[in-house]
Amino acid sequence: MPCLSKMERMIVSMQDPDMGIKMRNQRLLITVIPHAMTGNDIVEWLIQKYGISEEESLHLGNLIVKHGYIYPLKDPRSLVLRADESPYRFQTPYFWTSTKWPATELDYAIYLAKKNIRKQGDLIEHEKDNYNLLHKRINHTWDFVVMQAREQLRAAKQRRKGDRIVIDCQEQAYWLVNRPPPGAPNVLEQGPERRNCHTTRVQLNMDYYKREIEYCRKAMARTRVKSSICLEGYIKFNEQYVPHDPIMSGCLPSNPWITDDTTYWAMNAPTVTTPTKLRVERWGFNFSELINDPLGRAQLLEFLKKEFSAENLSFWEACEELRYGEQSRIAEIVDSIYQQFLAPGATRWVNIDSKTMERTLEGIKTPHRYVMDDAQMHIYMLMKKDSYPRFLKSDLYKNLLAEAVIPPETKKRVFPFMRKQRHSSPSPALLLPAGDAEEKSRSPSTAPVPEEES
Amino acid sequence: MATEGLHENETLASLKSEAESLKGKLEEERAKLHDVELHQVAERVEALGQFVMKTRRTLKGHGNKVLCMDWCKDKRRIVSSSQDGKVIVWDSFTTNKEHAVTMPCTWVMACAYAPSGCAIACGGLDNKCSVYPLTFEKNENMAAKKKSVAMHTNYLSACSFTNSDMQILTASGDGTCALWDVESGQLLQSFHGHGADVLCLDLAPSETGNTFVSGGCDKKAMVWDMRTGQCVQSFETHDSDINSVRYYPSGDAFASGSDDATCRLYDLRADREVAIYSKESIIFGASSVDFSLSGRLLFAGYNDYTINVWDVLKGSRVSILFGHENRVSTLRVSPDGTAFCSGSWDHTLRIWA
């Protein structure tokens, strides 16, 4: 776990004699514990060192304590950081999570056995359960366990009381992290095992390295763009899109999640009579904004009809259906495209250059999903470079801009605690009866999604 | 024979070192055109003001760790999956649960909403990706209509529909990604090249819709051509597993989140890493990243239970969001950018706006 080594580095710098936390003796009832600090000390140090807020510092400090690198002297069963005068101490590296991980059953058994002897059988419930479980499971070594436990207890009696308390706290903190009581979060839980490169399921064999070498050679030869040019692109994109970013700039009339008012969604539904100004403006950013918006695409179609090139859009849509359609229908779709758009005398014949046409007609003899790619790209570029600029200058588009609405901002509610009722909306899965649902799911995701109730 | 074996080992070692040295040369080439840093270019961009985002909805209902979520195109419904095998479809606006299905396996690490809104896909320790049509019929038994689509030889870590309900892209612990035909379950293309478990993927929003990026335990992010199965670009600058990859809205770059506690931005035209989002006080891995609509903000969920919001252009952290009580495992911005949803090991999902 890379976070543990980072945490350890943090801990080490916290203990730096010059820049670390100032430690002192802390009183615990009648005993004096050396080299301790208060919760406040920890929080303050984190704030100073990392330039973070108190909230973040407390959160980070709590994680350090939860992972057992710092433990509380007062109320030691609760691995929590309190931003007050409560005393804390650094865990000894011997007990660091990364040092002794995973904790062994044997060690846990010895620990419980020691506790059992000291408390004369009066263990906490879950520790009692674990003790009995272990007794059954590693019964064959139980004599060893008890012997070790007795030996460690005897050695402990020879230490000063202050040291004894400290070592007990250290050990207890370690086991709270490695064997958390039921209900407490297990910070060491990782999720399903991942293999890294050292124990990989992928064979790092000769073929693998040959592929890497091949890739590197190709990559060396590729054209790259200067950073200054690429990065300039982000600045431009940012300028254009920030006003359209609801989280950055808000949205009119209001953000539904904040005011519970779904008007914003109703006004921006896939098909509305009058689109909003922001939406129509966005169609002017680039061709994909126009063609990927169902309403924009419908307007594009109207425009192309006027220019007698509507078949281009239909052809492009049919090619999308092929690209993203069912494997079993490929031959059928290819044929349908050919009949409608490519065959000599076809009703909606598309104007592709002869080379591409030739290649495509040859290709459809063995139809596959990508057989129309070249033709589709040609037509897409035609629309983008030729029709689209004219669309933007057209009366059609100018009228759309002029008639587009700017929703008025929703006035803040006078009584904000009276929450507006949250209306449900019909699920997209409900739109059609079961049989038609299959058909609907066949077409690429240009199908309109249901309008919201306002 | 003993001598043959020795020869093979020598060749493997020499191939490995040749690969390493070529990688070094490639990095040199990439560095040649790097004439300015992103935060320098961004100096003339206005700084962001006070940033306030709050939890607007809390979705409770999973009995165990939430591992993955995805938005429906209708901008309010979501699907989420958890460790105990439950997959739930919610109208997150009303917080009502609309569908629920229990998978026959635990640790459902991947789920996705179909573009039509009529189906969901999910998978995990069963090594498969299955598609469930969503139905409101009485006596509904979603499990009965289940379609088993993808078959990997190890856990499924991520899945996504392409532009239609008919194709699914998957990533797996077996080190590969794959493209499948949903109807027949046929494997259309497989993508080999990662040296370890693949943990995440994202489809490019490009005009021509032909590529996707994946990230894995080999610390690499790889960009693939969906048609040919070839890796077209590869980036290896993280120090640990890459848990999440997401394209910048223009499609010219992508961000990654890793166990090394950093998020990074890679530009595809410059062919290099162009920004690192990190802070000394952030020591836990980033599990999930996504951009706001304009790409100005990068939201990242971390294993320390927090969400950090980064200014993508200036490289600074804008805000830190508290609320979850355990790891944030998944995070996605809604399709219209009005909010984002985070899922956590604390069994809940939160909508933030």
Side-chain angles (χ1 to χ4, degrees):
Chain A
M1 289 167 60
C3 55
L4 289 185
S5 45
K6 293 202 174 83
M7 204 177 271
E8 279 155 23
R9 257 175 279 151
M10 224 178 233
I11 289 290
V12 167
S13 59
M14 274 175 146
Q15 293 174 81
D16 182 87
D18 300 315
M19 303 301 288
I21 302 183
K22 295 286 168 273
M23 299 200 272
R24 44 204 131 117
N25 294 344
Q26 287 287 339
R27 218 171 194 77
L28 192 67
L29 297 177
I30 51 165
T31 327
V32 171
I33 314 283
H35 303 304
M37 59 216 156
T38 66
N40 245 340
D41 291 337
I42 298 168
V43 172
E44 280 306 317
W45 187 88
L46 288 171
I47 291 175
Q48 292 305 317
K49 168 86 175 170
Y50 296 113
I52 54 181
S53 67
E54 182 170 346
E55 190 180 14
E56 190 174 352
S57 164
L58 191 56
H59 181 87
L60 178 57
N62 248 302
L63 283 170
I64 295 175
V65 172
K66 277 201 175 64
H67 281 76
Y69 286 93
I70 290 177
Y71 60 90
L73 291 169
K74 202 164 44 157
D75 199 9
R77 295 208 66 83
S78 163
L79 291 181
V80 167
L81 178 67
R82 277 174 252 275
D84 55 20
E85 299 300 302
S86 309
Y88 290 84
R89 249 177 147 258
F90 290 104
Q91 178 63 287
T92 172
Y94 176 76
F95 276 129
W96 278 1
T97 308
S98 56
T99 318
K100 281 168 74 72
W101 188 74
T104 65
E105 279 200 324
L106 191 62
D107 284 338
Y108 191 45
I110 295 170
Y111 170 70
L112 288 177
K114 275 198 297 187
K115 254 195 167 175
N116 197 37
I117 294 169
R118 252 200 349 231
K119 298 208 165 173
Q120 292 159 333
D122 187 25
L123 290 173
I124 309 173
E125 172 119 20
H126 86 272
E127 285 182 337
K128 203 176 268 179
D129 292 337
N130 287 338
Y131 182 81
N132 292 332
L133 257 162
L134 281 168
H135 189 102
K136 256 190 230 144
R137 212 163 38 223
I138 55 173
N139 193 279
H140 48 284
T141 55
W142 205 251
D143 289 341
F144 176 74
V145 168
V146 172
M147 186 185 80
Q148 277 295 307
R150 289 218 173 96
E151 184 55 40
Q152 290 184 15
L153 282 172
R154 200 189 55 76
K157 279 207 180 80
Q158 316 218 312
R159 297 194 192 100
R160 271 180 21 236
K161 184 166 185 199
D163 290 342
R164 230 186 9 250
I165 292 179
V166 160
I167 292 175
D168 282 347
C169 282
Q170 288 172 342
E171 202 179 26
Q172 179 169 241
Y174 174 80
W175 287 112
L176 280 172
V177 174
N178 285 277
R179 292 286 185 275
N186 181 357
V187 289
L188 298 181
E189 188 172 7
Q190 283 303 297
E193 194 193 340
R194 296 176 184 176
R195 305 284 174 78
N196 56 26
C197 279
H198 304 296
T199 52
T200 185
R201 295 187 195 97
V202 176
Q203 284 278 51
L204 296 181
N205 53 17
M206 288 175 39
D207 282 332
Y208 176 79
Y209 288 114
K210 279 190 187 141
R211 268 203 308 263
E212 292 244 296
I213 291 168
E214 176 68 30
Y215 165 76
C216 280
R217 293 220 175 96
K218 280 210 191 104
M220 297 276 276
R222 76 179 290 135
T223 32
R224 285 176 192 80
V225 180
K226 248 195 315 191
S227 287
S228 46
I229 297 177
C230 301
L231 301 180
E232 202 46 51
Y234 299 145
I235 309 297
K236 284 214 181 69
F237 189 87
N238 178 68
E239 235 173 78
Q240 217 177 23
Y241 278 88
V242 160
H244 296 254
D245 185 337
I247 291 176
M248 293 281 298
S249 312
C251 52
L252 297 172
S254 67
N255 187 320
W257 301 102
I258 299 178
T259 59
D260 290 346
D261 175 12
T262 57
T263 311
Y264 178 75
W265 285 332
M267 297 189 76
N268 286 287
T271 40
V272 284
T273 336
T274 321
T276 64
K277 201 159 215 115
L278 279 177
R279 185 173 181 179
V280 179
E281 272 171 14
R282 221 166 134 175
W283 296 343
F285 287 176
N286 55 63
F287 186 56
S288 27
E289 286 289 351
L290 179 65
I291 202 171
N292 286 325
D293 180 337
L295 198 59
R297 190 187 293 197
Q299 295 301 329
L300 174 66
L301 185 64
E302 284 312 304
F303 177 73
L304 292 178
K305 277 184 186 155
K306 292 201 169 88
E307 299 211 324
F308 303 105
S309 57
E311 67 277 357
N312 287 345
L313 184 55
S314 309
F315 174 70
W316 181 84
E317 283 180 329
C319 291
E320 286 285 278
E321 207 192 315
L322 170 66
R323 275 263 234 65
Y324 298 109
E326 283 168 58
Q327 188 72 5
S328 57
R329 290 185 62 224
I330 286 182
E332 173 198 330
I333 300 177
V334 168
D335 188 56
S336 153
I337 294 178
Y338 172 74
Q339 298 299 337
Q340 278 189 76
F341 300 101
L342 301 174
T347 47
R348 316 175 76 187
W349 193 78
V350 283
N351 196 354
I352 314 176
D353 69 280
S354 52
K355 237 199 206 150
T356 312
M357 180 66 94
E358 213 178 289
R359 252 202 323 263
T360 308
L361 292 178
E362 187 60 39
I364 63 180
K365 291 182 183 160
T366 42
H368 61 91
R369 184 177 295 275
Y370 304 110
V371 76
M372 294 291 173
D373 273 13
D374 285 346
Q376 182 181 10
M377 177 64 83
H378 180 93
I379 293 295
Y380 183 84
M381 283 305 168
L382 200 63
M383 289 192 288
K384 173 175 170 173
K385 298 262 159 73
D386 200 38
S387 318
Y388 177 61
R390 280 200 301 274
F391 171 81
L392 292 182
K393 296 200 191 97
S394 69
D395 288 334
L396 177 68
Y397 183 63
K398 291 204 176 103
N399 284 339
L400 284 166
L401 271 175
E403 281 161 24
V405 295
I406 302 179
E409 186 175 359
T410 300
K411 292 231 161 38
K412 289 222 161 69
R413 279 199 303 283
V414 178
F415 298 106
F417 51 83
M418 278 173 62
R419 202 182 65 181
K420 200 175 149 104
Q421 208 202 357
R422 295 168 183 168
H423 294 288
S424 59
S425 74
S427 163
L430 257 180
L431 267 198
L432 305 157
D436 291 331
E438 274 206 33
E439 237 215 66
K440 176 182 171 152
S441 67
R442 270 210 202 105
S443 51
S445 64
T446 57
V449 160
E451 283 189 32
E452 299 300 325
E453 286 178 19
S454 45
Chain B
M1 308 244 231
T3 43
E4 252 178 40
L6 195 63
H7 179 68
E8 234 182 69
N9 280 341
E10 283 177 323
T11 326
L12 181 65
S14 65
L15 277 178
K16 182 171 176 181
S17 66
E18 189 184 343
E20 294 300 309
S21 92
L22 273 178
K23 274 193 212 172
K25 290 212 182 83
L26 181 58
E27 281 317 305
E28 279 173 31
E29 275 304 304
R30 282 170 159 167
K32 280 182 187 159
L33 287 174
H34 189 55
D35 51 348
V36 72
E37 295 293 332
L38 179 54
H39 63 85
Q40 291 172 292
V41 175
E43 262 160 30
R44 62 181 215 266
V45 177
E46 232 182 87
L48 293 173
Q50 234 336 337
F51 190 83
V52 177
M53 274 188 99
K54 294 191 202 158
T55 302
R56 306 288 174 175
R57 303 284 191 278
T58 306
L59 305 177
K60 297 188 186 171
H62 276 291
N64 215 311
K65 306 178 177 67
V66 176
L67 303 175
C68 187
M69 63 79 47
D70 191 21
W71 287 91
C72 174
K73 284 221 159 82
D74 76 349
K75 309 152 191 175
R76 49 191 283 174
R77 282 172 172 79
I78 62 170
V79 61
S80 60
S81 63
S82 74
Q83 178 191 359
D84 60 5
K86 278 236 165 39
V87 178
I88 302 179
V89 174
W90 318 68
D91 175 356
S92 57
F93 187 71
T94 57
T95 73
N96 291 338
K97 301 183 209 22
E98 293 191 341
H99 307 269
V101 71
T102 307
M103 294 277 286
C105 67
T106 59
W107 289 92
V108 186
M109 294 175 271
C111 64
Y113 223 118
S116 68
C118 297
I120 54 156
C122 52
L125 285 186
D126 57 357
N127 302 356
K128 299 196 214 144
C129 184
S130 310
V131 174
Y132 292 84
L134 296 176
T135 151
F136 283 93
E137 280 165 29
K138 291 234 156 66
N139 309 315
E140 163 186 320
N141 185 4
M142 268 180 71
K145 298 235 173 88
K146 163 178 164 179
K147 215 183 282 182
S148 221
V149 176
M151 298 271 281
H152 279 279
T153 55
N154 216 295
Y155 63 85
L156 188 82
S157 54
C159 65
S160 174
F161 286 88
T162 62
N163 262 20
S164 78
D165 288 16
M166 307 275 71
Q167 291 180 315
I168 286 196
L169 191 58
T170 57
S172 164
D174 66 12
T176 72
C177 298
L179 182 66
W180 311 83
D181 177 67
V182 171
E183 189 59 46
S184 62
Q186 187 186 346
L187 173 67
L188 299 175
Q189 184 62 262
S190 69
F191 306 89
H192 295 260
H194 275 288
D197 307 21
V198 187
L199 298 177
C200 51
L201 59 81
D202 191 32
L203 283 151
S206 84
E207 291 178 295
T208 44
N210 271 332
T211 60
F212 73 94
V213 63
S214 65
C217 291
D218 56 355
K219 311 173 197 170
K220 283 200 221 157
M222 302 179 83
V223 181
W224 307 88
D225 180 327
M226 278 172 74
R227 273 191 60 166
T228 62
Q230 294 300 309
C231 166
V232 293
Q233 267 176 296
S234 170
F235 304 89
E236 200 173 342
T237 61
H238 272 292
D239 298 320
S240 191
D241 300 359
I242 297 179
N243 298 312
S244 175
V245 285
R246 194 74 65 208
Y247 272 94
Y248 183 77
S250 73
D252 291 328
F254 67 90
S256 59
S258 160
D259 272 351
D260 68 6
T262 70
C263 298
R264 294 171 199 240
L265 187 68
Y266 298 91
D267 187 296
L268 296 170
R269 292 173 305 165
D271 190 34
R272 57 173 293 121
E273 171 193 295
V274 292
I276 305 184
Y277 307 101
S278 68
K279 214 165 145 51
E280 267 196 312
S281 57
I282 301 175
I283 57 177
F284 284 81
S287 62
S288 194
V289 301
D290 203 358
F291 288 97
S292 71
L293 188 141
S294 63
R296 179 65 189 270
L297 300 171
L298 181 69
F299 301 104
Y302 289 76
N303 291 340
D304 67 1
Y305 321 169
T306 68
I307 293 162
N308 286 287
V309 185
W310 300 92
D311 181 331
V312 171
L313 301 181
K314 293 191 182 280
S316 53
R317 188 195 51 195
V318 170
S319 182
I320 178 168
L321 302 173
F322 297 97
H324 279 298
E325 292 164 11
N326 206 321
R327 286 195 194 192
V328 177
S329 52
T330 180
L331 188 156
R332 297 294 297 261
V333 171
S334 74
D336 63 354
T338 48
F340 73 84
C341 176
S342 60
S344 162
W345 280 20
D346 69 5
H347 308 188
T348 69
L349 294 122
R350 283 171 181 247
I351 310 280
W352 305 77

